[in-house]
Amino acid sequence: MSRCDFKIVLLGSEHVGKTSLVLRFVNCRFNADIPYQNTVGAAFCAKTMQSQEKEFNIGIWDTAGSERYEAMTKIYYRGAHAAIICYEPSSIESWNRLRHWLQELRTVEEDCKVYLCGTKKDLLDGGYVSRAVNEDIVATYSQGLCGHYLTSSKTGENVDELFQKIVDDCAADAKLMKNVEDLRVQLAKDEAAYKAKNKEYCIC
């Protein structure tokens, strides 16, 4: 992709399933047999999506959840249009840590759109784990944000819906869309200038 229209960052503690969420969304797959590996810094992937009959290139940064990488992770917040902060409904520790991620994000990108994401819904539905984070607390905390989704990377439940909501919200943001259009125009000018310059030196 030659450009990134919307930048999305994923935040949350290690083991909450951020990487699995991205892989399910981008590649439509879930690999239960792959051993867990810490993300170092951030991993990047991209996908083309549509909203309001327009096509957008979405860049997604899956950031490290380990505390030892925090200083490195912050650099990926800058320029983010939206953030997904993940937690496990069965882990009160991941919920408590979620507030930290939100505070860290706000120090870098105050106007970033924020969405909460409860992961591993299939484990809750199957009775393999018990809910530790009260639903009323989540609902109250989510009121000041852009939305809350309970997802399953294994089944795919609510994963596409979460990302589509983000893209729709970004596409409906007039100020953001002006920046996107301005960037597209500038990139087109730069590409035309590059081609013209190379043509001048062409000896074929």
Side-chain angles (χ1 to χ4, degrees), residues 191-204:
E191 184 176 359
Y194 176 79
K195 289 181 178 179
K197 182 178 180 180
N198 284 351
K199 188 175 182 179
E200 292 177 3
Y201 293 101
C202 181
I203 58 174
C204 56

Side-chain angles (χ1 to χ4, degrees), residues 19-200:
T19 300
S20 293
L21 182 70
V22 174
L23 290 177
R24 164 56 73 174
F25 172 63
V26 174
N27 299 323
C28 298
R29 63 182 174 87
F30 176 77
N31 294 323
D33 299 328
I34 296 179
Y36 176 81
Q37 291 182 328
N38 277 324
T39 300
V40 178
F44 173 80
C45 58
K47 186 170 182 175
T48 299
M49 296 184 67
Q50 290 188 340
S51 181
Q52 300 185 9
E53 299 182 350
K54 294 182 179 179
E55 198 168 82
F56 299 99
N57 293 333
I58 312 304
I60 306 169
W61 278 256
D62 171 21
T63 65
S66 176
E67 292 184 31
R68 60 180 168 170
Y69 297 125
E70 277 190 25
M72 186 190 308
T73 299
K74 286 182 183 179
I75 66 175
Y76 298 100
Y77 299 175
R78 191 161 303 281
H81 302 112
I84 302 172
I85 307 182
C86 299
Y87 72 97
E88 280 188 58
S90 62
S91 168
I92 193 66
E93 291 80 9
S94 70
W95 172 259
N96 291 337
R97 190 73 176 151
L98 177 149
R99 300 167 187 240
H100 162 79
W101 294 114
L102 180 58
Q103 291 173 355
E104 290 286 292
L105 174 68
R106 290 303 191 204
T107 63
V108 180
E109 286 295 336
E110 186 176 354
D111 297 327
C112 181
K113 304 178 192 300
V114 178
Y115 304 78
L116 300 189
C117 176
T119 59
K120 307 180 184 181
K121 183 177 184 293
D122 53 288
L123 297 182
L124 278 178
D125 293 343
Y128 299 104
V129 296
S130 300
R131 176 180 287 277
V133 183
N134 187 282
E135 291 181 79
D136 291 337
I137 294 176
V138 176
T140 300
Y141 194 75
S142 302
Q143 287 179 0
L145 304 176
C146 296
H148 171 261
Y149 285 78
L150 194 57
T151 65
S152 168
S153 298
K154 184 175 183 179
T155 66
E157 185 175 356
N158 289 330
V159 174
D160 287 345
E161 289 81 355
L162 167 60
F163 283 93
Q164 188 63 56
K165 167 67 172 170
I166 295 173
V167 175
D168 289 343
D169 287 350
C170 288
D173 186 324
K175 181 180 179 180
L176 174 53
M177 282 304 300
K178 184 180 185 308
N179 292 337
V180 169
E181 295 300 335
D182 288 347
L183 179 60
R184 288 181 175 184
V185 170
Q186 186 59 51
L187 288 174
K189 289 181 179 178
D190 292 345
E191 184 176 359
Y194 176 79
K195 289 181 178 179
K197 182 178 180 180
N198 284 351
K199 188 175 182 179
E200 292 177 3

Side-chain angles (χ1 to χ4, degrees), residues 2-14:
S2 58
R3 68 177 192 278
C4 172
D5 295 314
F6 304 142
K7 177 180 179 178
I8 303 172
V9 294
L10 265 74
L11 314 177
S13 301
E14 56 185 337

